[in-house]
Structures are given as C-alpha cells and as structure tokens.
Amino acid sequence: MARRIAAGAAYGGGSIGLLGAAAVGVLLAEVQLAKRQVGGGIAPVPPSADGRYGVAFAGPADPLRLGLLGDSTAAGQGVRRAGQTPGALLASGLAAVSERPVDLRNVAQPGARSDDLERQVSLLLADTSCTPDVCVIMIGANDVTHRIPATRSVRCLTTAVRRLRTAGAEVVVGTCPDLGTIEPVYQPLRWLARRVSRQLAAAQTIGSVEQGGRTVSLGDLLGPEFEANPRELFGPDNYHPSAEGYATAAMAVLPTLCAVLGLWPESDRLDGARREDMLPVAEAASQAAMEAGTEVTAARAPWALLKHRRRRRLPAATEPDPHPTTHGEAPPEAPPEALGEPQGDSHEVAHHEEAPKEQYGESHGESHNLPAN
C-alpha cells in the first residue's frame, strides 16, 4: 500500500521530477519503512447495514431512500457492527432530521476505484420503482494508490453523478481523503500523498458540481483528527478509519445530505462570519480541498457556493431493521434510539448553533466527544 501511495503521488503530481537523486533515495526508504506497517493488521469484512432506519417514524409518508456508493470508506471496512458504518450513521441521522423512516442500500465495494461506479450505479438504478431520493459517493483513495490518472477518475465520477441526477436522485460526494494522514507514512512521502489527494479532491469537486451534485471535503476534515488521535481514529489495519473515524466523517456529510433534500434548518444563504463565499468553481474547489468539512454547491455558472455548515450530534448507533413493514402497516415496538434521539454515548462536534433541542440536542466545546471502542 505504501509503495502504491508513493508511486501514485509521483505519477499524479509529477513531483519526482522535482526531486534530486538523494531525495528520491530518501523517498524510497520511506516507502520500505511504511509498507511494513500499513495494512499490517486485519480489517474486518464490512458488515451489511442495508435495511430500514427510524422505523418508529413510520406514517403516511413513504420512507426516504438513501443509496451509498464508493470504496471501503463508504462500505465501512474496519468496523464490526452495522450501526458503526457510515451508511448506518447517515441513515439514522437523516431519519432523525426528517422524522421519516430511511431505507438504506449500500452498493460500495472495498478496493473499488472510480471506474467501478458505473457498475454500482447500475445496481442502484436497476429497479426503477426504488430509485434513491439521495445518494452519497465516497471514492478516490484507491485511484491515488493505483496511479489512475485524475482525468480518468473524474470522468468516471462525473458520469456516475450525471446518471444519478438524470434518474432524479440528489447526489453528495465525499471527496478523496487525505492519504498523508496514514500514521506510518512519513515525510517526504506524506507530503506527496497529501498533495495528490488534494489535487484529486479539487478535481472531483469541479466535476461533481458541474453535474448538479454537492461535495464535502473529507481530506482536511479527517487530517487534523487523525493526526491528533491516530490510535482512536484508525482501525486495526492502520489504514481504514475506526468507528470514531467514520463518525467524524458522517458528521461532516450529514448536514449537506439533509440540506440537499431541503431538511436542514440552515438555508443556503452565505454567512460571512463563517468565511462562506461565492467563488468561481475552480477556486471554491481548491479552497474546499484544504478546509475541514467544506461544502461546495453550484450557483450561477461559473460560480459556486462555499459553505461551512454547522454540525449537530449524531444519533446513537443503531442496527437496521432488515424486514421493514409494508407502507401503511403499524411499525413494531422500537427502542428509543430508533427515533434518532441521542441515547447513551453519542457523537458530538463543535461549533453548534441554537437548534430545536428535542430534535438535535446541544453540545459545546471545541473538540469531538467521541466514545471509545
């Protein structure tokens, strides 16, 4: 894996040409050191999180349908419980905000690159009676490590976004994570990995926004968190996120996921105090790649909105109901956490504004209050 990161960084960024022979020697030594450690543990097979969330909200309205596509990050590799996966966390949060059940279908594939999105989109759209209302795509890390040209990666992603939008689904893309945060990767390999990851994330943002999707930067969101708490936010293989790492990513994506459906209490009006702005798409994409949890959404061409949405706590991790009730039937007795209310250990994030307490709860302080494994 470390060898692929180095090769991908050099290939994508053209950076090896700038290095002297001594620097190349240092880089190769770093590769040898890192590859002994990255992936040295065992990442559990991702648990299936497909099913219905928020069953206690069953009523006259049909459940919302959420689709998840992408690689091992979207699949939730590295955790053992379905309720700890990004799909389950997002579905639970969406059910709590919308006060409607949410049916989750996750077609993400560990190891997938952007060219696998064509297959995944076809799986989601095969049944026209169950077209998702909204889809979340998390992709990019394997494109970097396998030296896929950024132009090819972005072309595959934009095609996927366009197909989903044409089918009537809203789309949120979590852009390429920052591979420079992997703990055993040191300088200068870390710098190269970070540079290429950000370049791909910016290109993904431009392509996705042009097709009518919204993006959320994952790289800079997780970077400081992973660097500060690598033992807590990385899984046993030192590569995939832990349950706390996935919760951090889900907290960043949930506000945009709800906003694209018109469910978030904040409007798209810009807030200058939060350094939000309307910028050319390319400039907005570049800034988003370097700013934690930044959302980019289309405005009047060629402009885009750069937003830093306030985040709320996630509901407690819940398992899906694999046998959802038929529309119109009374739901079974559900535990309190199925309502989407934070129970017991809940994930909190800083920078909260006033919100309806009975729906979101409140948290304070400047750091994440995440439960230990």
Side-chain angles (χ1 to χ4, degrees), residues 14-350:
S15 301
I16 287 294
L18 304 176
L19 300 176
V24 171
V26 171
L27 176 63
L28 294 178
E30 294 289 355
V31 170
Q32 294 300 321
L33 176 63
K35 75 175 185 177
R36 297 192 191 104
Q37 302 178 58
V38 176
I42 298 175
V45 175
S48 174
D50 287 7
R52 181 164 295 179
Y53 294 79
V55 293
F57 289 121
D62 291 331
L64 291 170
R65 291 186 290 268
L66 169 63
L68 217 66
L69 309 89
D71 52 24
S72 55
T73 302
Q77 188 163 8
V79 298
R80 300 185 182 277
R81 292 172 46 204
Q84 297 172 325
T85 62
L89 294 167
L90 291 172
S92 297
L94 181 58
V97 174
S98 65
E99 297 187 347
R100 290 170 61 181
V102 174
D103 288 343
L104 170 67
R105 187 177 182 200
N106 192 335
V107 296
Q109 177 65 43
R113 301 186 288 273
S114 295
D115 56 9
D116 190 54
L117 290 176
E118 179 180 5
R119 179 190 66 83
Q120 295 181 26
V121 171
S122 296
L123 284 175
L124 273 184
L125 300 182
D127 186 351
T128 56
S129 66
C130 297
T131 301
D133 296 296
V134 62
C135 294
V136 175
I137 303 175
M138 297 179 178
I139 199 80
N142 296 309
D143 293 77
V144 172
T145 61
H146 287 79
R147 296 180 292 169
I148 306 299
T151 52
R152 178 181 170 190
S153 298
V154 174
R155 183 169 60 250
C156 293
L157 174 60
T158 55
T159 299
V161 174
R162 182 169 58 251
R163 289 181 64 192
L164 292 169
R165 294 290 291 129
T166 301
E170 300 289 349
V171 180
V172 177
V173 176
T175 56
C176 181
D178 184 352
L179 297 182
T181 60
I182 299 174
E183 187 182 4
V185 177
Y186 303 105
Q187 301 292 7
L189 180 56
R190 183 185 296 273
W191 177 84
L192 288 173
R194 175 163 290 152
R195 182 171 185 266
V196 177
S197 299
R198 289 178 174 177
Q199 287 176 336
L200 179 56
Q204 289 176 322
T205 296
I206 295 171
S208 300
V209 169
E210 288 179 345
Q211 297 302 320
R214 301 193 187 199
T215 64
V216 178
S217 169
L218 296 184
D220 250 38
L221 169 86
L222 298 180
E225 299 292 335
F226 278 135
E227 288 176 343
N229 304 289
R231 300 298 182 186
E232 293 182 10
L233 298 183
F234 272 122
D237 64 349
N238 297 323
Y239 185 72
H240 294 96
S242 66
E244 288 76 14
Y246 283 125
T248 302
M251 279 189 289
V253 174
L254 180 61
T256 301
L257 175 64
C258 296
V260 79
L261 294 172
L263 298 171
W264 203 242
E266 297 176 12
S267 70
D268 283 339
R269 186 175 60 183
L270 298 175
D271 183 352
R274 297 183 62 79
R275 294 173 293 106
E276 298 180 343
D277 203 353
M278 181 182 292
L279 301 169
V281 174
E283 185 177 347
S286 178
Q287 289 196 21
M290 297 185 290
E291 182 92 24
T294 304
E295 173 190 321
V296 179
T297 185
R300 300 185 305 272
W303 302 89
L305 300 180
L306 189 77
K307 291 192 65 64
H308 305 112
R309 294 191 185 273
R310 295 174 175 86
R311 292 167 239 144
R312 273 82 172 183
R313 65 178 65 179
L314 292 171
T318 59
E319 302 300 309
D321 180 356
H323 304 292
T325 57
T326 304
H327 178 59
E329 294 182 3
E333 187 70 22
E337 61 267 27
L339 292 169
E341 295 293 330
Q343 299 286 333
D345 289 336
S346 62
H347 307 297
E348 297 184 10
V349 70

Side-chain angles (χ1 to χ4, degrees), residues 326-370:
T326 304
H327 178 59
E329 294 182 3
E333 187 70 22
E337 61 267 27
L339 292 169
E341 295 293 330
Q343 299 286 333
D345 289 336
S346 62
H347 307 297
E348 297 184 10
V349 70
H351 304 302
H352 292 255
E353 66 175 2
E354 283 299 318
K357 295 184 175 65
E358 69 277 10
Q359 185 172 352
Y360 305 111
E362 288 192 70
S363 67
H364 304 278
E366 291 297 320
S367 62
H368 298 291
N369 183 8
L370 300 171

